[in-house]
Structure formats: structure tokens, C-alpha cells
Amino acid sequence: MRHKTTISVLVCVLGAVGFAADMRLPDKAVAGQSVAIGTSGSGEATLYVVGPGTAIKRQIKLGDDVQLKGEELRNSGYYQIAIKGGADVSKELYVAPAAAEKINFLARPSRVPVGQPKVIAGTAFVFDQFENLVTAPTPVTFELSVPGAPAKVERLTAKNGVSYLQTGSGTKAGPGQFTVRVGDNSVRRVVEETASEPCNLRFKLHKEKEGLIATTDPVRDCSGNAVPDGTIVTFISAEPGKGRSTVDARVKKGIARAVLPPVPGATISVASGVVLGNEVRWGGGE
Amino acid sequence: MRRASDIPLRLLIFVITFALVVGVALPLISRVLAASDTVQVRLDASQIQPRPLEQLTGQAIARTYSSAWKNMEGALEQNRPELIDESFVGYAHDKLLSQVQEQKKNGLATRYVDHGHQVSATFYSPEGSAVQLQDTAQFEIQLLDGSNVVSSQKVTRKYIAVVTVVEDSWKVRVLEGVQDF
């Protein structure tokens, strides 16, 4: 009787061992690449794979390898893998991102005056072909170029999927090409570099039938870039005993022009924004 | 007059009743608390680059990230895709939506018992539209087939998130599990 009981227990234990499931996961898995999961035991069981973007339930035969296709593991991150049937077992599989292929590029601003420090910023987020953030260190090249001026090139390394550049604008106005490159892939944004504030603002006076004609020299910034047409230039006439009068004129083809009343002894000056130019006394010379 | 032999019996009844009350009530209480609590997020922005995170922005980011996790956990447990829209955009949104749809199709669900997130804000883009977070989170994650728990794992996981400005609020654009920071 005692032997019978012992034998029954042994049969049960061995039977259970025969059906027991275990699984072997690969040491390394990469997004988009197929993976084989080894199983042991015998009989039918259900495999569950749940992770980013995925939830798979599949009947499997214990003892066989289970293939997960690359398209089933496109997203990097943690996957819970469980087998139910025989003995239940569950493990965690980490799937790493694939190689860097895509770039999300934020570039600001779209328009900026020349000669300003740290005004242009570019941030690059690096992704693989399946839109997984590539966290491994990745070389990133930023390039900022304006036609007719040497390009600024910065080679950096993206850390945890992000790299950024903060730089000043150049001295030459024009449509700047702000490009970021990862491997063979690049993304381009346009940063329009415009002339800065007028510099060395000067004007001349001459008299015509309609009054005093004030005409500026070509209005340029300190780097020699012509300021954009439409820039406001203000002529101020300080007339003895009468106060001040002002006339605003827009730059047209690089020059601003205004007609002023010919008041003898008036002092006429010019300004644009916060920049002051020369002064001319009408009837008394400069 | 009480007999001495009644005392052990009364004590036994008291112990059994107490055990029953505790056994039934505790899971219910914890379920109710889990459902109503916000996800705990502790945000540290002392190491952020290249610009500092303003206090109000930091508070908004922590709130956004906490409610994103709450919404994600709700969406994955109840297979409700509409919960994702409130907190996620872009790649993170698409991946979560796909997981909810796949779970629904196969009658599966994922339940997170969230024990909190220790989050470092590491990057704030110069133009102020994106913040990167590094999150170390502790959970119990249960995989459910119908109402049966298929597996349950206590895990500590690391995540990298990118939170970006969308219209007038912040939303999670990237949320990825990583092995290390």
C-alpha cells in the first residue's frame, strides 16, 4: 500500500515535469528583426506577447521554437512574454531600437537679423525606421550656410536620442540653409538671415521747388547688408522757436527720401529705430 | 453568567470575522484607491540643459506626465483608445493606439499597479517647445486574458519621454522603455 502511494506520487511528479514549460529568450533583440523563443516541455500551450504597439495570443506546441516575425517587434521597449499551459511561465524581453534613420528637426527662428549671438537654435531627435528613439550615441552634423558666406559646421553626438545646436547668426544676409545630417539622411530648414539695424546712417539735403529734399546714403547694417525695403527712417526737423516736426520715410531701393519745409536755421537729423544718424543745419551748414 | 469555555469560541469567531472583513475589504479599498489616485510623479529638473525649466512649466510638465500615465494605464486596462488622445500625440499615440487595438482584438488587457515615477528632466529645447524626461518607474504589471491573470510581474523600468507643446498644452510625443540612461 505504501509503495503504491509512493509510485503514484512519482508518476504525478514525472507527469508534471513532462508537461512543464520553460522558455529561453534571446540575449539581444532589435526592432524589426525576428526572434526565436525556445520552449521546453510538451503538449499545447498559449503564448502571449504584449508590448509597445503589440498584443499577440497564439497557440504553440511546447518543445518547439516559436518565431516572432520582425514586423511583430517593430517597436523598441519592454515586452511581456508569457506561456500558459503545462506550467505557467512569464518573462520580460527588451527590444532595442534599430539603426538611426529618421530625424525630427526643430529649427527656430525662421527669420533672424545678422550678427546676433545665440539666436539660432536647432534640435534634432533621432529615430530608427520604425519611429523608435535611438538612444545609443549617434553622430549628428549641423550645418548653417548662407549663399556667399562660408558654412558653419558642427559635429555633435546625440545622447539619448537628442542633439542640439545653439549658434549666432552670420554677417551675411540671405536665405540660410540650416541642415542636420545623420548618416546619409538629412533634413533642411530655411532660416532667413536679414540685415540688422542700420549703421552709419547719413543723409544729405538739397532744395527743390517743393521744399528741402532729404536723401539718405544707401542704408546698410554694420556688416554692410542693405536693410530691407520698407524699413522706416525718420527725419526730425528742430525749428528755432517752433519746436520739432518729424517725417517718416520708408527705404526704397536701399535709400530713404523725404520732403521737408525749408525753415532757415532748422537743424535736421535722421534716425532709424534706436540708431541716430548725422545732423544738418539748413542755412548754416552741417 | 459566562462560562470559561465560551471565551476561546468567542475569540475564534472574532478572529474569523476580522480575517474575513480584512480579506474582502482590503482588495476593494486598494482597487478604489488605485482607480481614483493620480500617478505619483516626482520631477527633478536640477540637471536640465541647455536652459532652466521655469517653475510653472515644471509643474505643468509633472501634471501632464502624471495624467499621461494614468490615461495610458486606463486605456490598456480597459481597452479604451479615447483615453490616449488626451495626453499623447505622434509616435507615442500611434503605438499605444495600436496596442489597445491589438489587445481588444485578442481579448487581452494589461493592468498596471503603479508605485510611482522618479523623473529627471534632462533636456529643454532652446526654443522652449520640447522637454525630455528620464523616468525610473516601479510597477506590478498584470497581463489579463479576459478576466484571468496570465502573468504578474513586479518590475522597475526605465523610460525616456519627450513632452512637446501642442496648441496650448503639453503632450507626450515619445515614450519608450530603455535599458539604461
Side-chain angles (χ1 to χ4, degrees):
Chain A
M1 179 69 188
R2 205 171 160 188
H3 287 299
K4 264 189 178 173
T5 312
T6 312
I7 289 165
S8 305
V9 169
L10 268 174
V11 165
C12 285
V13 169
L14 287 173
V17 169
F19 285 98
D22 193 11
M23 66 174 147
R24 295 175 305 280
L25 299 179
D27 295 335
K28 197 180 168 195
V30 176
Q33 293 182 12
S34 61
V35 154
I37 299 172
T39 68
S40 59
S42 58
E44 299 276 318
T46 309
L47 172 79
Y48 298 89
V49 180
V50 176
T54 313
I56 299 166
K57 179 182 173 185
R58 190 184 293 170
Q59 291 305 118
I60 58 164
K61 246 186 197 165
L62 292 175
D64 291 351
D65 279 2
V66 180
Q67 292 290 331
L68 293 177
K69 292 180 197 157
E71 67 219 42
E72 293 171 320
L73 299 173
R74 293 161 62 98
N75 300 317
S76 66
Y78 295 100
Y79 288 72
Q80 270 185 287
I81 302 187
I83 292 177
K84 201 158 175 64
D88 299 345
V89 58
S90 66
K91 287 186 177 174
E92 196 172 70
L93 174 70
Y94 175 72
V95 175
E101 269 201 24
K102 291 183 179 174
I103 313 159
N104 276 11
F105 187 28
L106 306 171
R108 296 281 190 285
S110 57
R111 198 175 164 87
V112 66
V114 298
Q116 306 292 312
K118 286 192 166 184
V119 283
I120 299 174
T123 304
F125 291 96
V126 182
F127 295 89
D128 67 9
Q129 62 171 312
F130 308 110
E131 283 99 31
N132 301 307
L133 192 70
V134 177
T135 50
T138 308
V140 174
T141 305
F142 291 95
E143 186 175 324
L144 180 62
S145 62
V146 174
K152 281 185 198 172
V153 180
E154 288 271 357
R155 290 180 180 84
L156 303 169
T157 301
K159 196 181 162 205
N160 285 325
V162 63
S163 181
Y164 75 95
L165 175 73
Q166 203 167 8
T167 187
S169 52
T171 54
K172 182 116 178 97
Q177 308 290 313
F178 196 10
T179 309
V180 63
R181 194 173 306 115
V182 172
D184 296 333
N185 303 291
S186 64
V187 176
R188 185 176 60 90
R189 300 278 181 267
V190 174
V191 177
E192 180 80 30
E193 295 198 32
T194 61
S196 195
E197 294 293 320
C199 195
N200 298 321
L201 190 58
R202 295 190 67 80
F203 77 103
K204 295 185 205 79
L205 277 179
H206 68 275
K207 192 162 185 298
E208 284 187 8
K209 255 197 297 185
E210 69 255 52
L212 283 180
I213 309 296
T215 313
T216 63
D217 291 349
V219 184
R220 297 182 186 279
D221 67 9
C222 295
S223 306
N225 301 295
V227 302
D229 278 4
T231 302
I232 301 284
V233 172
T234 305
F235 295 94
I236 305 135
S237 175
E239 296 155 6
K242 287 188 178 171
R244 288 150 59 97
S245 60
T246 61
V247 177
D248 286 339
R250 288 178 186 277
V251 171
K252 197 174 171 188
K253 293 185 179 168
I255 286 167
R257 182 178 183 277
V259 181
L260 302 165
V263 180
T267 302
I268 298 156
S269 59
V270 68
S272 181
V274 293
V275 177
L276 293 175
N278 63 323
E279 272 186 9
V280 176
R281 183 184 290 270
W282 176 245
E286 195 172 338
Chain B
M1 192 173 159
R2 285 181 192 166
R3 282 184 296 174
S5 61
D6 281 354
I7 294 170
L9 185 65
R10 281 165 190 268
L11 196 64
L12 186 67
I13 291 169
F14 173 76
V15 168
I16 291 170
T17 312
F18 181 76
L20 279 173
V21 168
V22 168
V24 171
L26 267 187
L28 279 176
I29 291 167
S30 69
R31 187 68 75 81
V32 167
L33 285 176
S36 61
D37 273 356
T38 54
V39 170
Q40 190 187 52
V41 168
R42 289 208 179 115
L43 180 70
D44 171 19
S46 59
Q47 304 297 315
I48 200 161
Q49 294 280 344
R51 54 180 281 182
L53 195 64
E54 303 83 5
Q55 194 188 356
L56 285 176
T57 309
Q59 287 167 358
I61 298 279
R63 251 193 332 267
T64 298
Y65 194 62
S66 166
S67 60
W69 270 98
K70 189 173 164 57
N71 286 332
M72 184 181 102
E73 289 166 7
L76 291 175
E77 182 170 354
Q78 298 155 42
N79 288 329
R80 287 174 55 195
E82 74 278 6
L83 290 177
I84 299 165
D85 301 343
E86 198 183 306
S87 302
F88 294 89
V89 286
Y91 299 152
H93 178 275
D94 298 348
K95 289 176 185 181
L96 274 174
L97 183 65
S98 164
Q99 186 174 344
V100 169
Q101 287 167 341
E102 290 294 303
Q103 284 191 170
K104 215 171 182 174
K105 197 171 80 183
N106 291 312
L108 305 176
T110 310
R111 180 186 295 149
Y112 285 77
V113 181
D114 196 319
H115 298 303
H117 299 248
Q118 195 67 47
V119 179
S120 290
T122 53
F123 174 76
Y124 188 13
S125 64
E127 83 293 342
S129 67
V131 175
Q132 189 180 60
L133 306 174
Q134 294 183 354
D135 176 10
T136 304
Q138 292 188 315
F139 315 101
E140 184 181 339
I141 304 177
Q142 296 175 346
L143 173 58
L144 291 98
D145 186 350
S147 56
N148 300 322
V149 176
V150 172
S151 80
S152 180
Q153 290 177 316
K154 283 186 180 164
V155 293
T156 299
R157 283 184 177 175
K158 292 182 192 313
Y159 292 89
I160 287 185
V162 177
V163 183
T164 61
V165 174
V166 177
E167 290 160 8
D168 56 351
S169 64
W170 293 90
K171 286 193 178 185
V172 177
R173 189 171 288 275
V174 173
L175 181 64
E176 276 188 30
V178 295
Q179 275 188 312
D180 244 313
F181 297 132

